[in-house]
């Protein structure tokens, strides 16, 4: 899928400068880990270009300020804060999941060691709050509160995701609730934080937050599909990576709950200890699809996106901003971007 960048070159430069200024507050060693993880530097600390992510959360934060009739600059502290929290979560996720690559190069923990990477993530979370609280306004304090709540939910979702790996009775409702916390909470915060900082009416903030929450679940469903059937060129991770880690992702849980012969065979394979041979991983992917897990996840992702767009239609905002938010949602939930 081709689409315009999520943020303009000027907005990306604005956010990156503010993020670099924030990261500059860290001690030299932790700053080096953060710069590597954020794609600004190589393992030796030398500057590199083109290594960052899509800047989804900053783009949503800037647009939410525009939805409130404010300039995007009003959302800048929020855009920086949500991206730093996202970076913190990825640093820790890679360690917990044992993922050795991130954005097509070695994950930070494989370069600097797990203890250093954990500290790097902690540091990013801390300065995210500093950036918001530095403004010292009531709106900034509300935004900081919302970010802390979203981070608490993100952590709870990640904890449940890890818990599911050792359980064989995970329900689909539990898995959807986990996705709403792990992914939806921070996206909801990202979609509302700019409007909060701009002093928008609570009704608009709520609309933007619900839009982001539904988008977050759709995004997680698509990510789960890519974790099984995505190409390494798209995901930056080895093929079948989620199955190798025996993750109870949404397509897997939907397939296990289908009550078919394929479901029962899938449960047998998931009960086997890792590591598992490649032919068994391929059979696992085939069983998930045969039991309906893939089609359910695709249908549910489309349904969540539809609900997100319906919520967006309720909000009182400029039609152009509404269209940009809708286009971003469609772009990031497509499986060929």
């Amino acid at each position: 899928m081709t689409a315009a960048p999520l943020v303009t070159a000027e907005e990306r430069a604005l956010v990156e400068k503010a993020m670099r200024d924030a990261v500059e507050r860290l001690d030299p060693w932790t700053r080096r880990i953060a710069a590597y993880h954020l794609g600004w530097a190589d393992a030796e600390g030398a500057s590199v270009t083109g290594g960052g992510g899509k800047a989804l959360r900053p783009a949503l934060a800037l647009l939410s300020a525009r939805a409130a009739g404010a300039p995007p600059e009003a959302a800048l502290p929020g855009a920086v804060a949500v991206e730093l929290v996202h970076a913190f979560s990825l640093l820790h996720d890679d360690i917990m999941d044992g993922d050795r690559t991130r954005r097509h190069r070695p994950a930070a923990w494989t370069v600097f060691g797990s203890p250093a990477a954990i500290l790097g993530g902690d540091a990013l979370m801390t300065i995210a709050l500093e950036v918001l609280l530095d403004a010292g306004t009531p709106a900034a304090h509300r935004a900081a509160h919302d970010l802390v709540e979203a981070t608490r939910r993100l952590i709870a979702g990640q904890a449940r995701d890890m818990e599911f790996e050792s359980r064989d009775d995970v329900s689909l409702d539990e898995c959807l609730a986990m996705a709403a916390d792990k992914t939806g909470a921070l996206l909801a915060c990202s979609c509302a934080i700019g409007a909060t900082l701009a002093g928008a009416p609570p009704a608009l903030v709520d609309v933007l937050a619900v839009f982001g929450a539904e988008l977050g679940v759709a995004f997680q469903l698509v990510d789960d599909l890519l974790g099984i059937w995505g190409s390494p060129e798209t995901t930056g991770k080895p093929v079948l990576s989620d199955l190798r880690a025996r993750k109870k992702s949404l397509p897997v849980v939907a397939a296990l709950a289908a009550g078919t012969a394929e479901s029962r065979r899938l449960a047998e394979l998931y009960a086997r200890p890792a590591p598992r041979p490649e032919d068994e991983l391929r059979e696992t992917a085939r069983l998930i699809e045969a039991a309906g897990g893939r089609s359910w996840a695709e249908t549910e992702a489309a349904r969540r996106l539809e609900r997100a767009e319906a919520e967006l239609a309720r909000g009182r905002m400029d039609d152009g901003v509404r269209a940009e938010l809708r286009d971003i949602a469609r772009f990031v939930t497509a499986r060929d971007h």
Side-chain angles (χ1 to χ4, degrees):
M1 177 179 180
T2 57
L6 301 187
V7 292
T8 66
E10 293 79 10
E11 288 172 339
R12 179 178 284 273
L14 187 70
V15 173
E16 184 172 319
K17 182 183 183 305
M19 286 184 62
R20 287 179 182 270
D21 288 345
V23 171
E24 194 65 27
R25 306 179 188 193
L26 301 177
D27 64 276
W29 175 239
T30 310
R31 186 166 64 241
R32 180 175 164 189
I33 297 166
Y36 176 86
H37 177 61
L38 290 164
W40 301 339
D42 63 18
E44 286 71 43
S47 295
V48 298
T49 58
K54 293 186 291 289
L56 166 62
R57 289 153 191 84
L60 292 169
L62 297 179
L63 272 172
S64 75
R66 289 175 53 201
E73 289 80 4
L76 187 56
V80 170
V82 294
E83 187 69 355
L84 290 173
V85 169
H86 178 55
F88 134 77
S89 72
L90 296 182
L91 253 175
H92 286 193
D93 280 0
D94 286 345
I95 298 168
M96 289 182 280
D97 294 342
D99 287 338
R100 303 189 66 84
T101 59
R102 167 68 58 186
R103 295 176 184 142
H104 307 285
R105 66 175 185 167
W109 71 270
T110 70
V111 176
F112 302 99
S114 296
I118 291 170
L119 285 174
D122 294 345
L124 291 175
M125 176 65 235
T126 301
I127 59 172
L129 289 175
E130 277 191 43
V131 166
L132 279 176
L133 292 173
D134 277 352
T137 65
H141 279 80
R142 284 194 297 274
H145 177 275
D146 292 345
L147 182 64
V148 169
E149 181 181 2
T151 306
R152 174 180 54 77
R153 289 184 58 198
L154 182 158
I155 292 168
Q158 177 66 13
R160 295 179 79 186
D161 193 21
M162 293 177 65
E163 176 200 351
F164 291 169
E165 293 177 26
S166 61
R167 285 177 49 191
D168 57 9
D169 61 343
V170 179
S171 72
L172 202 47
D173 285 344
E174 283 182 299
C175 206
L176 284 166
M178 177 273 291
D181 284 344
K182 179 181 175 181
T183 306
L186 187 59
L187 272 180
C189 182
S190 301
C191 288
I193 198 167
T196 297
L197 289 167
L204 178 59
V205 174
D206 288 346
V207 161
L208 291 167
V210 174
F211 162 74
E214 294 291 347
L215 174 59
V217 176
F219 185 89
Q220 185 62 58
L221 282 155
V222 170
D223 193 60
D224 286 352
L225 288 163
L226 290 172
I228 300 173
W229 294 284
S231 68
E233 291 75 19
T234 299
T235 65
K237 297 180 180 180
V239 67
L240 304 174
S241 60
D242 280 2
L243 301 185
R244 191 170 287 104
R246 296 202 307 169
K247 293 183 74 67
K248 296 288 197 325
S249 64
L250 284 156
V252 172
V253 173
L256 288 169
T260 65
E262 290 86 358
S263 302
R264 291 187 287 275
R265 173 59 177 161
L266 177 63
E268 291 174 6
L269 293 181
Y270 249 72
R272 294 181 181 177
R276 295 157 59 196
E278 291 297 311
D279 60 341
E280 191 174 286
L281 293 175
R282 288 191 292 271
E283 182 187 1
T284 302
R286 181 189 66 76
L287 289 167
I288 295 167
E289 186 161 10
R294 183 173 188 170
S295 62
W296 175 85
E298 290 170 344
T299 300
E300 183 66 11
R303 189 176 77 89
R304 294 286 181 156
L305 179 60
E306 184 178 328
R307 286 170 59 170
E309 292 185 4
E311 188 67 22
L312 198 61
R314 295 196 316 108
R316 299 183 62 180
M317 67 186 77
D318 178 81
D319 286 340
V321 174
R322 192 189 334 267
E324 287 187 61
L325 286 166
R326 184 190 63 236
D327 289 347
I328 286 180
R330 292 178 181 179
F331 173 64
V332 300
T333 54
R335 293 192 302 280
D336 55 355
H337 60 266

